[in-house]
Amino acid sequence: MGRVRRATGTLTFTDLLRHPGRLIEQFTQAARPRAEADVAALAAGEAREVSAFARDGRRFRPGSLILDPAAGSPVVWQPFRVLGGTGEGVALNAPFHVHGAGPVAGPGSGAVDKALFRLLSLQAADRYWELAVPTADVALVRAALRGDGAGR
């Protein structure tokens, strides 16, 4: 798989240098049209990358979710490594049951920006996940978990 486009709420340092106003948009409704376009792109079969912290015991591990409706595993959590790069991806296996999205709280939550992220709690086929994702990308992640991509 080639380079995957980042979702609206997933901003890198370089993104912020190029478009500093996007950080402010995360606190307002200004990002909503781009977030809705991400959901439509997913429905059309396009992949997106979403910043995500996965709770691992008493801490949150940084990484990203790769949402690719055309892949054999359409939802994959990709951990970041300390010295850069990414670790081996972990597929989230369907069926999914999302328990809800709420404020980031609990063990390890100090590592996550509570103003920009929401905590998604979900049961996958093989394990329970707590994922902190950008607020602007919650609808996109929910669409991916429902299997709203092309050919699904």
Side-chain angles (χ1 to χ4, degrees):
M1 175 175 65
R3 184 177 164 102
V4 176
R5 185 174 176 182
R6 285 185 295 277
T8 297
T10 299
L11 301 173
T12 65
F13 182 71
T14 306
D15 295 331
L16 292 175
L17 286 177
R18 285 189 211 142
H19 310 285
R22 291 208 177 148
L23 180 61
I24 295 166
E25 287 179 358
Q26 301 303 311
F27 295 102
T28 68
Q29 291 296 316
R32 183 177 227 171
R34 278 200 324 275
E36 290 171 352
D38 283 339
V39 173
L42 182 82
E46 293 180 30
R48 289 292 184 268
E49 178 182 359
V50 174
S51 179
F53 292 84
R55 192 180 317 260
D56 181 10
R58 302 199 51 80
R59 67 185 181 113
F60 276 97
R61 292 185 61 199
S64 60
L65 287 173
I66 305 301
L67 311 175
D68 187 353
S73 296
V75 181
V76 174
W77 184 69
Q78 190 81 43
F80 290 135
R81 295 289 180 227
V82 174
L83 298 175
T86 58
E88 187 173 331
V90 179
L92 279 71
N93 298 310
F96 303 108
H97 175 72
V98 178
H99 298 287
V104 178
S109 63
V112 180
D113 186 337
K114 293 170 189 64
L116 294 176
F117 285 77
R118 301 285 288 169
L119 185 65
L120 273 176
S121 302
L122 65 109
Q123 180 66 50
D126 56 347
R127 74 179 256 201
Y128 180 76
W129 289 85
E130 287 184 300
L131 300 167
V133 299
T135 301
D137 298 333
V138 169
L140 176 65
V141 173
R142 283 179 175 261
L145 293 172
R146 283 192 307 266
D148 290 354
R152 298 273 171 200

